[in-house]
Structure formats: C-alpha cells, structure tokens
C-alpha cells in the first residue's frame, strides 16, 4: 500500500463511488451494511490480538487531574468529529426510513454504539502507545496495530486497521457526494455522478 501511486488509489475509490452514486442511496445503504460487518470483524480481531500487549496502567494519567482536563484536550475533541459527520448519513438515509416512529431512535442507537466502539478503540490505542504519546500520531489506530505481534507467523497487523479505514472512507465518500448531489439538485442528471467523483478525486490529489 505505501508504494502504490496515490492517483491509482484515488481512481479506484473514485470509480467505486461512481458506481454507488449511479446505483442510488438504497444500494449505498446495503453496501454500508456489508462494510459494517467486515469492519466490526476486523476491529474485533485487532482488539483480541492486542490483549496480551495492553498496558492497563497506561490510561491512569488521563484522569490524574480530574475529569475536566481530558475533556478539553485536542485528542478528545478530535474524536467528536465522526459524530458531526453523521449529519450527512442522516440527511441521505433518513428519508429511506419508512417506520412511523421516524429515524430518531435508530440514529440515537447508532450514536451510542459508535460512541462505545470509539471509546474502546481510544482506550486500546492508549494502552498500546501510552499517554500522551497517542495524541501525537495522525492515525493512532494504524500505529497501534503496527506494534502488535502475534507469534512469528502472524505479522503486519496494520491490515486490520488499514482495511476498515478504506471501507469506511468508501461509504463516507458515497454519503458525502450523494448529499452534494441532493444539495445542488443535480442527482437525477446523468452528468452529476462523474462530475462529483472527478471533483472529489481532484481535491483528494
């Protein structure tokens, strides 16, 4: 992966997002379900593989000054960004929800589940990399996976972090570009999907 030309990676993801945009929001939702199962499976494997190397005392310095300081750190504030990004998912997927109770209850449940998963991931990264060193990494989950070793046979645990990143990026890009098509009122235009994907690839590069 590190030696693959960036333009090739962007073209692959751009092509996949183009097919999602052409297929519609319902297909995007089905792809998201499959991606969810794969991501949860790989994250679970990554967590189980890291258990023997977890330093359970590494999280103690976080709370040594009370509750308020940790909540004000950039490390914690940056972890709130995924919840803000759920705006795009709600705008795109909520109209597909056909139950009388509305999308509020499943959205709240999803936020609770995501919060618990994110908290466990942050704790695991902290116990593997130490505090405050974990906040110095741009992708702490990838770095944490790189230090995990399971015997001499199972190596390169980074794949268990890199693959979920790519799958989630694919779904998120599809959501954001679908929302962009709706916002510009061009989603029914034949040229909208290729133009949006080309703009996304160009901005990525």
């Amino acid at each position: 992966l590190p030696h693959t030309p960036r333009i090739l990676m962007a073209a692959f993801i751009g092509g996949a997002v183009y097919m999602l945009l052409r297929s519609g929001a319902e297909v995007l939702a089905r792809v998201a379900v499959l991606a969810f199962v794969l991501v949860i499976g790989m994250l679970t494997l990554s967590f189980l593989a890291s258990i023997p190397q977890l330093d359970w005392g590494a999280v103690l310095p976080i709370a040594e000054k009370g509750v308020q300081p940790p909540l004000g750190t950039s490390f914690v504030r940056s972890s709130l960004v995924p919840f803000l990004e759920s705006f795009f998912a709600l705008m795109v997927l909520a109209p597909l929800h056909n139950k009388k109770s509305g999308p509020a209850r499943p959205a709240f449940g999803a936020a609770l589940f995501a919060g618990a998963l994110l908290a466990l991931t942050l704790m695991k990264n902290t116990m593997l990399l130490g505090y405050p060193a974990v906040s110095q990494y741009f992708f702490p989950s990838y770095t944490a996976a790189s230090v995990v070793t399971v015997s001499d046979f199972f190596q390169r645990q980074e794949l268990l972090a890199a693959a979920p990143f790519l799958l989630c990026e694919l779904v998120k890009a599809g959501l954001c570009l679908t929302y962009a098509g709706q916002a510009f009122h061009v989603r029914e235009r034949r040229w909208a999907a290729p133009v949006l994907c080309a703009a996304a690839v160009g901005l990525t590069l």
Side-chain angles (χ1 to χ4, degrees):
L1 284 178
H3 299 288
T4 305
R6 185 167 303 210
I7 189 171
L8 185 60
M9 296 292 290
F12 274 127
I13 294 181
V17 173
Y18 169 75
M19 288 189 289
L20 288 177
L21 292 183
R22 293 290 296 170
S23 301
E26 290 190 19
V27 173
L28 175 62
R30 294 192 189 101
V31 171
V33 171
L34 177 60
F36 171 79
V37 173
L38 293 174
V39 166
I40 290 298
M42 283 183 281
L43 291 181
T44 301
L45 283 176
S46 176
F47 185 81
L48 293 176
S50 65
I51 287 178
Q53 294 178 237
L54 295 180
D55 178 10
W56 300 90
V59 297
L60 296 178
I62 297 178
E64 65 181 359
K65 295 182 180 179
V67 177
Q68 187 61 32
L71 294 178
T73 61
S74 59
F75 174 58
V76 175
R77 286 198 300 269
S78 64
S79 65
L80 299 178
V81 173
F83 294 97
L84 302 178
E85 292 175 341
S86 62
F87 165 80
F88 299 104
L90 289 173
M91 294 300 292
V92 172
L93 300 178
L96 303 178
H97 190 76
N98 55 9
K99 293 183 179 180
K100 294 181 179 180
S101 60
R105 181 175 295 178
F108 181 69
L112 287 179
F113 179 85
L117 183 64
L118 183 60
L120 287 174
T121 302
L122 293 174
M123 293 285 283
K124 184 200 74 171
N125 294 342
T126 302
M127 287 187 280
L128 285 172
L129 302 175
Y131 180 85
V134 66
S135 61
Q136 306 302 314
Y137 294 100
F138 195 73
F139 287 117
S141 293
Y142 187 85
T143 306
S146 68
V147 303
V148 175
T149 56
V150 183
S151 74
D152 294 331
F153 182 76
F154 295 101
Q155 301 293 330
R156 308 301 296 176
Q157 303 295 322
E158 299 96 313
L159 179 64
L160 295 176
F165 273 134
L166 289 174
L167 288 171
C168 292
E169 242 0 84
L170 174 64
V171 174
K172 189 170 80 169
L175 281 171
C176 291
L177 293 183
T178 300
Y179 174 76
Q182 294 176 354
F184 291 123
H185 301 287
V186 295
R187 60 177 177 173
E188 303 300 333
R189 309 273 184 173
R190 183 168 295 181
W191 51 265
V195 168
L196 288 171
C197 289
V201 170
L203 290 172
T204 298
L205 297 174

